[in-house]
Amino acid sequence: MNRWAAAVAMLLVVPPALAVDGEPGLHDPSTVIQADGKFYVYGTGRGLPAYVSDDGWTWRRAGQVMQAVPGGGPGPEVLARGGNNTWAPDIIRSGGRYFLYYSAPGTQPKSAIGLLVGTTLDPASPDYKWEDAGPVVWSDGVEDCNAIDPGVFRDPADGNLWLTYGSYFGYIRLVQLDPKTGKRLHPASPPVNIAINSEASIVIVRDGWYYLLVTHGSCCAGANSSYNIRMGRARRVTGPFLDNMGIDMLQGGGKLFAGSTGRHIGPGHFGLLDLGGGVEKFSLHYEADLDRGGISVLDIRPLLWRDGWPVAGDNVTAGTYQIESARTGTVLEMAVQGVPVGGLRPRGPGGPGARSMSPPPPPIPAQDPAQVGGTWPAGPVGVRMGPHMVQTQQKWSIEPAPNTGGYPGAPYFKIAVAGTERVLAATSDAELTVLPAFTAAPEQLWRLDQLGDGTYRLTPKAVPGAGEALALSAIGSSMPTLARFRPDSDRQRWLIKAP
């Protein structure tokens, strides 16, 4: 058990937040990829629809990939092996080029996976174009595999490139790719079967383990879809991939990674998004977002790790919380004189030392800021850390700040003393203050990234005068500050908990 495990066990479990903003309507998304300061994702649909985001939160449609392909669609070799459809793409950068793989099914299970090659993802660039590199793998309509849903990945141990593919009909298969061309490296060698009865497969690697993530269940039926993501792991890229009960995924095994929750139905098509600094996220789609009329939407969520397995995290939702240091157990508070919850309690008979009281006293209500804040200073107030007292100055309202942008999977947040307009902000000397009113200035906007162990990194959008990102940091048990984030330290790891 790692050193934060006990603290993480106390984390507040929150329901999924609203999926990404802007134009999130998308089915079978590729892995989200970063290029030239932007984020790109591609999906199923006529011509392979493309989407772009400046921050990973607000997305917009950016045309169709096939508009930049000679002929405007799958090439003749792909059509001969599959059909004139463009489904479920995936993408990777290799050298100075991008390899975009897509499904081109005909009369299923006859299908091909085609390859497009480009040098830029920006449709506004004069160099933007995609070259048809033909089919990479295919199924003939007789074999036990349907060649759709490519998942491309690079092995960090040796740099080798691999492709998984296949649908719920028959096997999930694995082939090695040539990192220079994107085509099969050993076309005469048969593919390796690694799973069955699933689709939308991809492999990720961590600590010497290969994790195969696949999508089970049925798709394409809106809120009646049963998609869910399952996984197994292996010590070799070729398997065998076993779940946590030791069942081979070729025998139908698969540990649950993500299922339907709340008003998001049918998660599928996992894609890894590594943002660096210990922050990993994953992209997926929901077959139906009931808050958006039941359409299929893109989402980006935190990727956590527990007991050697990936865990699907959730983005923070609006609410009232305490912000507790995972290092010290003390909580962030506005530096004012606190008032004991329920008032001072006398000692002696009937007081805290009494063994019994009959009848028992009623519950103590939560503090009202209007009743205890009369002596608070009117202007800026300092920030400190103190023991958990559930007092008003320790409770923070965390809610999205509208029209201020965001970061992958989440908007920027306003953090205020609950029940007041007093907001947490960064200062020009890289310290913290509570200001009397919210102006949406960058130093008042907060990014909340969940780390792999379940704790959070809290970072202002900008610190006045600072040329780098700085994170909320615990100096000791009583003083917070802002400092460069260190993934190997617990000073900048925080728990966001119900008060």
Side-chain angles (χ1 to χ4, degrees), residues 168 172 195-204 211-218 226-233 241-245 249 252-260 267-270 309-310 312:
Y168 219 91
I172 298 294
I196 199 168
N197 294 345
S198 53
E199 56 194 35
S201 59
I202 198 163
V203 171
I204 63 175
Y211 296 86
L212 173 64
L213 292 107
V214 301
T215 304
H216 273 243
S218 61
S226 61
Y227 252 10
N228 61 92
I229 301 174
R230 296 181 180 268
M231 58 186 171
R233 67 181 185 180
F241 290 92
L242 309 181
D243 65 17
N244 60 317
M245 302 302 292
M249 295 182 75
K255 173 180 169 62
L256 181 66
F257 172 78
S260 298
H269 285 260
F270 175 101
W309 290 93

mmCIF file of all heavy atoms in Angstrom, residues 168 172 195-204 211-218 226-233 241-245 249 252-260 267-270 309-310 312:
data_model
loop_
_atom_site.group_PDB
_atom_site.id
_atom_site.type_symbol
_atom_site.label_atom_id
_atom_site.label_comp_id
_atom_site.label_asym_id
_atom_site.label_seq_id
_atom_site.Cartn_x
_atom_site.Cartn_y
_atom_site.Cartn_z
ATOM 1 N N TYR A 168 -17.211 -7.220 -31.607
ATOM 2 C CA TYR A 168 -17.865 -8.223 -30.775
ATOM 3 C C TYR A 168 -18.014 -9.559 -31.497
ATOM 4 O O TYR A 168 -18.187 -10.601 -30.866
ATOM 5 C CB TYR A 168 -19.238 -7.721 -30.317
ATOM 6 C CG TYR A 168 -19.520 -8.110 -28.898
ATOM 7 C CD1 TYR A 168 -19.169 -7.257 -27.861
ATOM 8 C CD2 TYR A 168 -20.071 -9.334 -28.586
ATOM 9 C CE1 TYR A 168 -19.395 -7.627 -26.553
ATOM 10 C CE2 TYR A 168 -20.303 -9.715 -27.274
ATOM 11 C CZ TYR A 168 -19.966 -8.849 -26.264
ATOM 12 O OH TYR A 168 -20.169 -9.206 -24.959
ATOM 13 N N ILE A 172 -10.496 -10.302 -30.660
ATOM 14 C CA ILE A 172 -9.659 -9.101 -30.682
ATOM 15 C C ILE A 172 -8.263 -9.567 -31.068
ATOM 16 O O ILE A 172 -7.736 -10.530 -30.488
ATOM 17 C CB ILE A 172 -9.626 -8.409 -29.312
ATOM 18 C CG1 ILE A 172 -11.023 -7.953 -28.912
ATOM 19 C CG2 ILE A 172 -8.639 -7.242 -29.318
ATOM 20 C CD1 ILE A 172 -11.597 -6.864 -29.793
ATOM 21 N N ALA A 195 -8.223 -11.515 -27.116
ATOM 22 C CA ALA A 195 -9.475 -11.415 -26.354
ATOM 23 C C ALA A 195 -10.619 -11.829 -27.268
ATOM 24 O O ALA A 195 -10.430 -12.057 -28.470
ATOM 25 C CB ALA A 195 -9.693 -10.001 -25.816
ATOM 26 N N ILE A 196 -11.814 -11.910 -26.688
ATOM 27 C CA ILE A 196 -12.982 -12.339 -27.454
ATOM 28 C C ILE A 196 -14.207 -11.595 -26.921
ATOM 29 O O ILE A 196 -14.219 -11.077 -25.804
ATOM 30 C CB ILE A 196 -13.170 -13.872 -27.346
ATOM 31 C CG1 ILE A 196 -14.054 -14.396 -28.474
ATOM 32 C CG2 ILE A 196 -13.689 -14.288 -25.972
ATOM 33 C CD1 ILE A 196 -14.047 -15.903 -28.612
ATOM 34 N N ASN A 197 -15.236 -11.527 -27.783
ATOM 35 C CA ASN A 197 -16.533 -10.967 -27.393
ATOM 36 C C ASN A 197 -16.428 -9.553 -26.836
ATOM 37 O O ASN A 197 -16.961 -9.235 -25.781
ATOM 38 C CB ASN A 197 -17.229 -11.877 -26.371
ATOM 39 C CG ASN A 197 -17.611 -13.216 -26.949
ATOM 40 O OD1 ASN A 197 -17.614 -13.394 -28.168
ATOM 41 N ND2 ASN A 197 -17.934 -14.162 -26.091
ATOM 42 N N SER A 198 -15.752 -8.694 -27.572
ATOM 43 C CA SER A 198 -15.587 -7.303 -27.162
ATOM 44 C C SER A 198 -15.174 -6.499 -28.385
ATOM 45 O O SER A 198 -15.003 -7.046 -29.479
ATOM 46 C CB SER A 198 -14.549 -7.179 -26.046
ATOM 47 O OG SER A 198 -13.323 -7.797 -26.410
ATOM 48 N N GLU A 199 -15.020 -5.189 -28.201
ATOM 49 C CA GLU A 199 -14.597 -4.326 -29.306
ATOM 50 C C GLU A 199 -13.926 -3.087 -28.731
ATOM 51 O O GLU A 199 -13.726 -2.974 -27.515
ATOM 52 C CB GLU A 199 -15.791 -3.955 -30.188
ATOM 53 C CG GLU A 199 -16.943 -3.300 -29.473
ATOM 54 C CD GLU A 199 -18.207 -3.265 -30.329
ATOM 55 O OE1 GLU A 199 -18.434 -4.217 -31.103
ATOM 56 O OE2 GLU A 199 -18.976 -2.292 -30.218
ATOM 57 N N ALA A 200 -13.525 -2.156 -29.624
ATOM 58 C CA ALA A 200 -12.910 -0.896 -29.209
ATOM 59 C C ALA A 200 -11.758 -1.151 -28.242
ATOM 60 O O ALA A 200 -11.716 -0.614 -27.142
ATOM 61 C CB ALA A 200 -13.948 0.023 -28.573
ATOM 62 N N SER A 201 -10.798 -1.954 -28.680
ATOM 63 C CA SER A 201 -9.692 -2.368 -27.812
ATOM 64 C C SER A 201 -8.500 -1.437 -27.940
ATOM 65 O O SER A 201 -8.292 -0.800 -28.975
ATOM 66 C CB SER A 201 -9.261 -3.793 -28.169
ATOM 67 O OG SER A 201 -8.853 -3.854 -29.532
ATOM 68 N N ILE A 202 -7.708 -1.368 -26.868
ATOM 69 C CA ILE A 202 -6.447 -0.651 -26.907
ATOM 70 C C ILE A 202 -5.599 -1.115 -25.725
ATOM 71 O O ILE A 202 -6.141 -1.598 -24.712
ATOM 72 C CB ILE A 202 -6.657 0.879 -26.863
ATOM 73 C CG1 ILE A 202 -5.394 1.610 -27.342
ATOM 74 C CG2 ILE A 202 -7.076 1.357 -25.472
ATOM 75 C CD1 ILE A 202 -5.630 3.048 -27.724
ATOM 76 N N VAL A 203 -4.293 -0.969 -25.832
ATOM 77 C CA VAL A 203 -3.364 -1.386 -24.782
ATOM 78 C C VAL A 203 -2.666 -0.148 -24.229
ATOM 79 O O VAL A 203 -2.273 0.750 -24.982
ATOM 80 C CB VAL A 203 -2.327 -2.392 -25.319
ATOM 81 C CG1 VAL A 203 -1.223 -2.652 -24.285
ATOM 82 C CG2 VAL A 203 -3.010 -3.705 -25.701
ATOM 83 N N ILE A 204 -2.516 -0.092 -22.897
ATOM 84 C CA ILE A 204 -1.679 0.907 -22.245
ATOM 85 C C ILE A 204 -0.652 0.165 -21.393
ATOM 86 O O ILE A 204 -0.851 -1.006 -21.055
ATOM 87 C CB ILE A 204 -2.494 1.901 -21.395
ATOM 88 C CG1 ILE A 204 -3.217 1.185 -20.251
ATOM 89 C CG2 ILE A 204 -3.491 2.653 -22.271
ATOM 90 C CD1 ILE A 204 -3.938 2.139 -19.303
ATOM 91 N N TYR A 211 -1.861 -3.467 -20.188
ATOM 92 C CA TYR A 211 -3.280 -3.507 -19.847
ATOM 93 C C TYR A 211 -4.095 -3.424 -21.130
ATOM 94 O O TYR A 211 -3.954 -2.465 -21.901
ATOM 95 C CB TYR A 211 -3.651 -2.353 -18.918
ATOM 96 C CG TYR A 211 -2.963 -2.409 -17.576
ATOM 97 C CD1 TYR A 211 -1.685 -1.864 -17.414
ATOM 98 C CD2 TYR A 211 -3.571 -3.005 -16.480
ATOM 99 C CE1 TYR A 211 -1.043 -1.912 -16.181
ATOM 100 C CE2 TYR A 211 -2.933 -3.056 -15.247
ATOM 101 C CZ TYR A 211 -1.668 -2.514 -15.111
ATOM 102 O OH TYR A 211 -1.034 -2.569 -13.896
ATOM 103 N N LEU A 212 -4.919 -4.419 -21.358
ATOM 104 C CA LEU A 212 -5.814 -4.434 -22.509
ATOM 105 C C LEU A 212 -7.188 -3.959 -22.056
ATOM 106 O O LEU A 212 -7.814 -4.593 -21.200
ATOM 107 C CB LEU A 212 -5.900 -5.843 -23.094
ATOM 108 C CG LEU A 212 -6.927 -6.048 -24.209
ATOM 109 C CD1 LEU A 212 -6.577 -5.203 -25.442
ATOM 110 C CD2 LEU A 212 -7.018 -7.535 -24.584
ATOM 111 N N LEU A 213 -7.645 -2.847 -22.605
ATOM 112 C CA LEU A 213 -8.967 -2.321 -22.294
ATOM 113 C C LEU A 213 -9.868 -2.514 -23.501
ATOM 114 O O LEU A 213 -9.489 -2.165 -24.628
ATOM 115 C CB LEU A 213 -8.899 -0.851 -21.895
ATOM 116 C CG LEU A 213 -8.192 -0.619 -20.560
ATOM 117 C CD1 LEU A 213 -6.812 -0.017 -20.789
ATOM 118 C CD2 LEU A 213 -9.004 0.261 -19.633
ATOM 119 N N VAL A 214 -11.029 -3.079 -23.269
ATOM 120 C CA VAL A 214 -11.974 -3.372 -24.340
ATOM 121 C C VAL A 214 -13.363 -2.902 -23.919
ATOM 122 O O VAL A 214 -13.627 -2.665 -22.738
ATOM 123 C CB VAL A 214 -12.018 -4.881 -24.669
ATOM 124 C CG1 VAL A 214 -10.642 -5.393 -25.084
ATOM 125 C CG2 VAL A 214 -12.543 -5.688 -23.476
ATOM 126 N N THR A 215 -14.248 -2.785 -24.901
ATOM 127 C CA THR A 215 -15.628 -2.400 -24.621
ATOM 128 C C THR A 215 -16.534 -3.605 -24.807
ATOM 129 O O THR A 215 -16.504 -4.256 -25.849
ATOM 130 C CB THR A 215 -16.072 -1.253 -25.544
ATOM 131 O OG1 THR A 215 -15.151 -0.159 -25.390
ATOM 132 C CG2 THR A 215 -17.457 -0.782 -25.171
ATOM 133 N N HIS A 216 -17.300 -3.914 -23.764
ATOM 134 C CA HIS A 216 -18.281 -4.996 -23.790
ATOM 135 C C HIS A 216 -19.674 -4.410 -23.992
ATOM 136 O O HIS A 216 -19.883 -3.212 -23.866
ATOM 137 C CB HIS A 216 -18.255 -5.762 -22.464
ATOM 138 C CG HIS A 216 -17.248 -6.867 -22.426
ATOM 139 N ND1 HIS A 216 -17.601 -8.184 -22.290
ATOM 140 C CD2 HIS A 216 -15.895 -6.846 -22.516
ATOM 141 C CE1 HIS A 216 -16.513 -8.933 -22.273
ATOM 142 N NE2 HIS A 216 -15.466 -8.139 -22.407
ATOM 143 N N GLY A 217 -20.631 -5.280 -24.254
ATOM 144 C CA GLY A 217 -22.026 -4.872 -24.337
ATOM 145 C C GLY A 217 -22.409 -4.389 -25.717
ATOM 146 O O GLY A 217 -21.663 -4.507 -26.683
ATOM 147 N N SER A 218 -23.601 -3.814 -25.792
ATOM 148 C CA SER A 218 -24.161 -3.392 -27.072
ATOM 149 C C SER A 218 -24.116 -1.880 -27.210
ATOM 150 O O SER A 218 -24.203 -1.138 -26.229
ATOM 151 C CB SER A 218 -25.620 -3.860 -27.185
ATOM 152 O OG SER A 218 -26.399 -3.288 -26.156
ATOM 153 N N SER A 226 -25.769 -0.959 -23.722
ATOM 154 C CA SER A 226 -25.194 -1.577 -22.520
ATOM 155 C C SER A 226 -23.675 -1.549 -22.519
ATOM 156 O O SER A 226 -23.038 -2.318 -21.809
ATOM 157 C CB SER A 226 -25.681 -3.017 -22.379
ATOM 158 O OG SER A 226 -25.273 -3.804 -23.494
ATOM 159 N N TYR A 227 -23.080 -0.675 -23.313
ATOM 160 C CA TYR A 227 -21.622 -0.565 -23.354
ATOM 161 C C TYR A 227 -21.029 -0.433 -21.945
ATOM 162 O O TYR A 227 -21.555 0.278 -21.073
ATOM 163 C CB TYR A 227 -21.238 0.669 -24.155
ATOM 164 C CG TYR A 227 -20.644 0.412 -25.520
ATOM 165 C CD1 TYR A 227 -20.640 -0.850 -26.109
ATOM 166 C CD2 TYR A 227 -20.079 1.456 -26.253
ATOM 167 C CE1 TYR A 227 -20.089 -1.050 -27.363
ATOM 168 C CE2 TYR A 227 -19.528 1.267 -27.509
ATOM 169 C CZ TYR A 227 -19.538 0.006 -28.051
ATOM 170 O OH TYR A 227 -18.987 -0.195 -29.291
ATOM 171 N N ASN A 228 -19.894 -1.083 -21.724
ATOM 172 C CA ASN A 228 -19.079 -0.888 -20.526
ATOM 173 C C ASN A 228 -17.652 -1.292 -20.867
ATOM 174 O O ASN A 228 -17.424 -2.066 -21.799
ATOM 175 C CB ASN A 228 -19.616 -1.692 -19.337
ATOM 176 C CG ASN A 228 -19.626 -3.183 -19.596
ATOM 177 O OD1 ASN A 228 -18.668 -3.883 -19.279
ATOM 178 N ND2 ASN A 228 -20.717 -3.703 -20.181
ATOM 179 N N ILE A 229 -16.690 -0.742 -20.140
ATOM 180 C CA ILE A 229 -15.278 -0.970 -20.443
ATOM 181 C C ILE A 229 -14.704 -1.955 -19.439
ATOM 182 O O ILE A 229 -14.867 -1.795 -18.226
ATOM 183 C CB ILE A 229 -14.490 0.352 -20.410
ATOM 184 C CG1 ILE A 229 -15.080 1.338 -21.424
ATOM 185 C CG2 ILE A 229 -13.016 0.116 -20.717
ATOM 186 C CD1 ILE A 229 -14.456 2.727 -21.373
ATOM 187 N N ARG A 230 -14.012 -2.988 -19.953
ATOM 188 C CA ARG A 230 -13.412 -4.023 -19.107
ATOM 189 C C ARG A 230 -11.934 -4.170 -19.465
ATOM 190 O O ARG A 230 -11.477 -3.672 -20.499
ATOM 191 C CB ARG A 230 -14.164 -5.345 -19.259
ATOM 192 C CG ARG A 230 -15.602 -5.237 -18.772
ATOM 193 C CD ARG A 230 -16.379 -6.528 -18.893
ATOM 194 N NE ARG A 230 -17.741 -6.348 -18.418
ATOM 195 C CZ ARG A 230 -18.140 -6.577 -17.180
ATOM 196 N NH1 ARG A 230 -17.263 -7.004 -16.282
ATOM 197 N NH2 ARG A 230 -19.397 -6.376 -16.822
ATOM 198 N N MET A 231 -11.193 -4.899 -18.619
ATOM 199 C CA MET A 231 -9.744 -4.933 -18.819
ATOM 200 C C MET A 231 -9.123 -6.208 -18.260
ATOM 201 O O MET A 231 -9.685 -6.892 -17.411
ATOM 202 C CB MET A 231 -9.104 -3.719 -18.137
ATOM 203 C CG MET A 231 -9.391 -3.644 -16.641
ATOM 204 S SD MET A 231 -8.777 -2.114 -15.913
ATOM 205 C CE MET A 231 -9.504 -2.227 -14.265
ATOM 206 N N GLY A 232 -7.939 -6.498 -18.782
ATOM 207 C CA GLY A 232 -7.065 -7.538 -18.257
ATOM 208 C C GLY A 232 -5.633 -7.045 -18.379
ATOM 209 O O GLY A 232 -5.371 -6.004 -18.995
ATOM 210 N N ARG A 233 -4.693 -7.787 -17.840
ATOM 211 C CA ARG A 233 -3.300 -7.361 -17.915
ATOM 212 C C ARG A 233 -2.390 -8.552 -18.163
ATOM 213 O O ARG A 233 -2.746 -9.703 -17.882
ATOM 214 C CB ARG A 233 -2.877 -6.608 -16.661
ATOM 215 C CG ARG A 233 -2.819 -7.441 -15.398
ATOM 216 C CD ARG A 233 -2.417 -6.604 -14.200
ATOM 217 N NE ARG A 233 -2.246 -7.437 -12.998
ATOM 218 C CZ ARG A 233 -1.886 -6.973 -11.799
ATOM 219 N NH1 ARG A 233 -1.665 -5.679 -11.630
ATOM 220 N NH2 ARG A 233 -1.746 -7.799 -10.782
ATOM 221 N N PHE A 241 -3.777 -12.035 -21.465
ATOM 222 C CA PHE A 241 -4.346 -10.976 -20.652
ATOM 223 C C PHE A 241 -5.369 -11.569 -19.696
ATOM 224 O O PHE A 241 -6.405 -12.091 -20.129
ATOM 225 C CB PHE A 241 -4.984 -9.908 -21.545
ATOM 226 C CG PHE A 241 -3.971 -9.107 -22.317
ATOM 227 C CD1 PHE A 241 -3.579 -9.493 -23.592
ATOM 228 C CD2 PHE A 241 -3.401 -7.977 -21.753
ATOM 229 C CE1 PHE A 241 -2.647 -8.756 -24.305
ATOM 230 C CE2 PHE A 241 -2.450 -7.225 -22.449
ATOM 231 C CZ PHE A 241 -2.074 -7.617 -23.732
ATOM 232 N N LEU A 242 -5.053 -11.479 -18.413
ATOM 233 C CA LEU A 242 -5.906 -12.052 -17.374
ATOM 234 C C LEU A 242 -6.561 -10.931 -16.571
ATOM 235 O O LEU A 242 -5.966 -9.874 -16.352
ATOM 236 C CB LEU A 242 -5.091 -12.940 -16.431
ATOM 237 C CG LEU A 242 -4.197 -14.004 -17.070
ATOM 238 C CD1 LEU A 242 -3.485 -14.812 -15.984
ATOM 239 C CD2 LEU A 242 -4.996 -14.923 -17.989
ATOM 240 N N ASP A 243 -7.780 -11.181 -16.095
ATOM 241 C CA ASP A 243 -8.419 -10.195 -15.230
ATOM 242 C C ASP A 243 -7.993 -10.419 -13.787
ATOM 243 O O ASP A 243 -7.115 -11.252 -13.500
ATOM 244 C CB ASP A 243 -9.940 -10.224 -15.397
ATOM 245 C CG ASP A 243 -10.589 -11.528 -14.951
ATOM 246 O OD1 ASP A 243 -9.941 -12.314 -14.221
ATOM 247 O OD2 ASP A 243 -11.752 -11.764 -15.317
ATOM 248 N N ASN A 244 -8.570 -9.704 -12.856
ATOM 249 C CA ASN A 244 -8.158 -9.793 -11.450
ATOM 250 C C ASN A 244 -8.520 -11.118 -10.809
ATOM 251 O O ASN A 244 -8.016 -11.442 -9.733
ATOM 252 C CB ASN A 244 -8.784 -8.650 -10.652
ATOM 253 C CG ASN A 244 -10.304 -8.677 -10.698
ATOM 254 O OD1 ASN A 244 -10.906 -8.895 -11.755
ATOM 255 N ND2 ASN A 244 -10.934 -8.437 -9.571
ATOM 256 N N MET A 245 -9.356 -11.912 -11.458
ATOM 257 C CA MET A 245 -9.692 -13.246 -10.969
ATOM 258 C C MET A 245 -8.898 -14.329 -11.679
ATOM 259 O O MET A 245 -9.130 -15.523 -11.469
ATOM 260 C CB MET A 245 -11.194 -13.508 -11.145
ATOM 261 C CG MET A 245 -12.081 -12.490 -10.438
ATOM 262 S SD MET A 245 -11.777 -12.409 -8.660
ATOM 263 C CE MET A 245 -12.376 -14.013 -8.162
ATOM 264 N N MET A 249 -8.810 -13.227 -20.991
ATOM 265 C CA MET A 249 -9.791 -12.512 -21.799
ATOM 266 C C MET A 249 -10.151 -13.264 -23.074
ATOM 267 O O MET A 249 -11.167 -12.967 -23.704
ATOM 268 C CB MET A 249 -9.284 -11.104 -22.111
ATOM 269 C CG MET A 249 -9.151 -10.245 -20.851
ATOM 270 S SD MET A 249 -8.610 -8.545 -21.157
ATOM 271 C CE MET A 249 -10.101 -7.815 -21.823
ATOM 272 N N GLY A 252 -13.302 -14.945 -22.091
ATOM 273 C CA GLY A 252 -14.403 -14.083 -21.672
ATOM 274 C C GLY A 252 -14.136 -13.291 -20.413
ATOM 275 O O GLY A 252 -15.050 -12.640 -19.900
ATOM 276 N N GLY A 253 -12.892 -13.333 -19.878
ATOM 277 C CA GLY A 253 -12.577 -12.570 -18.672
ATOM 278 C C GLY A 253 -12.537 -11.075 -18.940
ATOM 279 O O GLY A 253 -12.489 -10.628 -20.086
ATOM 280 N N GLY A 254 -12.538 -10.311 -17.861
ATOM 281 C CA GLY A 254 -12.448 -8.859 -17.988
ATOM 282 C C GLY A 254 -12.937 -8.166 -16.731
ATOM 283 O O GLY A 254 -14.105 -8.266 -16.378
ATOM 284 N N LYS A 255 -12.036 -7.490 -16.039
ATOM 285 C CA LYS A 255 -12.379 -6.722 -14.834
ATOM 286 C C LYS A 255 -13.057 -5.427 -15.263
ATOM 287 O O LYS A 255 -12.598 -4.743 -16.171
ATOM 288 C CB LYS A 255 -11.111 -6.427 -14.032
ATOM 289 C CG LYS A 255 -11.278 -5.491 -12.835
ATOM 290 C CD LYS A 255 -9.932 -5.290 -12.141
ATOM 291 C CE LYS A 255 -9.959 -4.176 -11.097
ATOM 292 N NZ LYS A 255 -10.893 -4.445 -10.000
ATOM 293 N N LEU A 256 -14.135 -5.040 -14.587
ATOM 294 C CA LEU A 256 -14.843 -3.811 -14.937
ATOM 295 C C LEU A 256 -13.970 -2.591 -14.682
ATOM 296 O O LEU A 256 -13.410 -2.429 -13.599
ATOM 297 C CB LEU A 256 -16.142 -3.700 -14.135
ATOM 298 C CG LEU A 256 -16.998 -2.459 -14.441
ATOM 299 C CD1 LEU A 256 -17.543 -2.515 -15.854
ATOM 300 C CD2 LEU A 256 -18.126 -2.319 -13.429
ATOM 301 N N PHE A 257 -13.890 -1.718 -15.668
ATOM 302 C CA PHE A 257 -13.203 -0.437 -15.526
ATOM 303 C C PHE A 257 -14.207 0.713 -15.419
ATOM 304 O O PHE A 257 -14.068 1.581 -14.561
ATOM 305 C CB PHE A 257 -12.262 -0.204 -16.713
ATOM 306 C CG PHE A 257 -11.654 1.174 -16.748
ATOM 307 C CD1 PHE A 257 -10.591 1.504 -15.921
ATOM 308 C CD2 PHE A 257 -12.157 2.161 -17.604
ATOM 309 C CE1 PHE A 257 -10.035 2.776 -15.943
ATOM 310 C CE2 PHE A 257 -11.600 3.429 -17.631
ATOM 311 C CZ PHE A 257 -10.540 3.738 -16.795
ATOM 312 N N ALA A 258 -15.200 0.741 -16.276
ATOM 313 C CA ALA A 258 -16.185 1.823 -16.243
ATOM 314 C C ALA A 258 -17.516 1.318 -16.769
ATOM 315 O O ALA A 258 -17.578 0.658 -17.815
ATOM 316 C CB ALA A 258 -15.711 3.017 -17.072
ATOM 317 N N GLY A 259 -18.574 1.647 -16.047
ATOM 318 C CA GLY A 259 -19.926 1.306 -16.470
ATOM 319 C C GLY A 259 -20.814 2.537 -16.452
ATOM 320 O O GLY A 259 -20.370 3.650 -16.139
ATOM 321 N N SER A 260 -22.074 2.358 -16.771
ATOM 322 C CA SER A 260 -23.021 3.473 -16.764
ATOM 323 C C SER A 260 -23.195 3.997 -15.347
ATOM 324 O O SER A 260 -23.284 3.223 -14.386
ATOM 325 C CB SER A 260 -24.372 3.014 -17.314
ATOM 326 O OG SER A 260 -24.253 2.590 -18.658
ATOM 327 N N PRO A 267 -20.566 3.782 -21.426
ATOM 328 C CA PRO A 267 -19.219 4.258 -21.725
ATOM 329 C C PRO A 267 -18.452 3.275 -22.603
ATOM 330 O O PRO A 267 -18.534 2.056 -22.421
ATOM 331 C CB PRO A 267 -18.575 4.379 -20.337
ATOM 332 C CG PRO A 267 -19.289 3.360 -19.502
ATOM 333 C CD PRO A 267 -20.697 3.344 -20.013
ATOM 334 N N GLY A 268 -17.688 3.793 -23.552
ATOM 335 C CA GLY A 268 -16.889 2.935 -24.427
ATOM 336 C C GLY A 268 -15.772 3.705 -25.096
ATOM 337 O O GLY A 268 -15.685 4.928 -25.020
ATOM 338 N N HIS A 269 -14.865 2.973 -25.752
ATOM 339 C CA HIS A 269 -13.768 3.536 -26.548
ATOM 340 C C HIS A 269 -12.786 4.332 -25.690
ATOM 341 O O HIS A 269 -12.649 5.549 -25.813
ATOM 342 C CB HIS A 269 -14.307 4.374 -27.705
ATOM 343 C CG HIS A 269 -14.850 3.551 -28.828
ATOM 344 N ND1 HIS A 269 -14.142 3.298 -29.977
ATOM 345 C CD2 HIS A 269 -16.025 2.889 -28.952
ATOM 346 C CE1 HIS A 269 -14.864 2.521 -30.775
ATOM 347 N NE2 HIS A 269 -16.021 2.262 -30.171
ATOM 348 N N PHE A 270 -12.073 3.622 -24.815
ATOM 349 C CA PHE A 270 -11.031 4.204 -23.964
ATOM 350 C C PHE A 270 -9.871 4.726 -24.807
ATOM 351 O O PHE A 270 -9.443 4.095 -25.772
ATOM 352 C CB PHE A 270 -10.529 3.122 -23.001
ATOM 353 C CG PHE A 270 -9.364 3.545 -22.133
ATOM 354 C CD1 PHE A 270 -9.581 3.909 -20.818
ATOM 355 C CD2 PHE A 270 -8.056 3.560 -22.616
ATOM 356 C CE1 PHE A 270 -8.518 4.289 -19.995
ATOM 357 C CE2 PHE A 270 -6.994 3.933 -21.812
ATOM 358 C CZ PHE A 270 -7.223 4.303 -20.495
ATOM 359 N N TRP A 309 -4.089 -1.669 -10.808
ATOM 360 C CA TRP A 309 -5.098 -1.628 -11.872
ATOM 361 C C TRP A 309 -5.529 -0.180 -12.116
ATOM 362 O O TRP A 309 -5.623 0.612 -11.173
ATOM 363 C CB TRP A 309 -6.330 -2.444 -11.489
ATOM 364 C CG TRP A 309 -6.089 -3.919 -11.468
ATOM 365 C CD1 TRP A 309 -5.725 -4.673 -10.395
ATOM 366 C CD2 TRP A 309 -6.182 -4.820 -12.580
ATOM 367 N NE1 TRP A 309 -5.588 -5.990 -10.764
ATOM 368 C CE2 TRP A 309 -5.862 -6.110 -12.101
ATOM 369 C CE3 TRP A 309 -6.500 -4.661 -13.924
ATOM 370 C CZ2 TRP A 309 -5.863 -7.232 -12.920
ATOM 371 C CZ3 TRP A 309 -6.506 -5.780 -14.749
ATOM 372 C CH2 TRP A 309 -6.184 -7.049 -14.245
ATOM 373 N N PRO A 310 -5.811 0.152 -13.375
ATOM 374 C CA PRO A 310 -6.368 1.486 -13.637
ATOM 375 C C PRO A 310 -7.783 1.598 -13.095
ATOM 376 O O PRO A 310 -8.537 0.628 -13.080
ATOM 377 C CB PRO A 310 -6.341 1.594 -15.169
ATOM 378 C CG PRO A 310 -6.283 0.195 -15.666
ATOM 379 C CD PRO A 310 -5.585 -0.615 -14.615
ATOM 380 N N ALA A 312 -11.266 4.313 -13.081
ATOM 381 C CA ALA A 312 -11.904 5.465 -13.716
ATOM 382 C C ALA A 312 -12.253 6.497 -12.660
ATOM 383 O O ALA A 312 -13.083 6.261 -11.784
ATOM 384 C CB ALA A 312 -13.161 5.029 -14.463
#
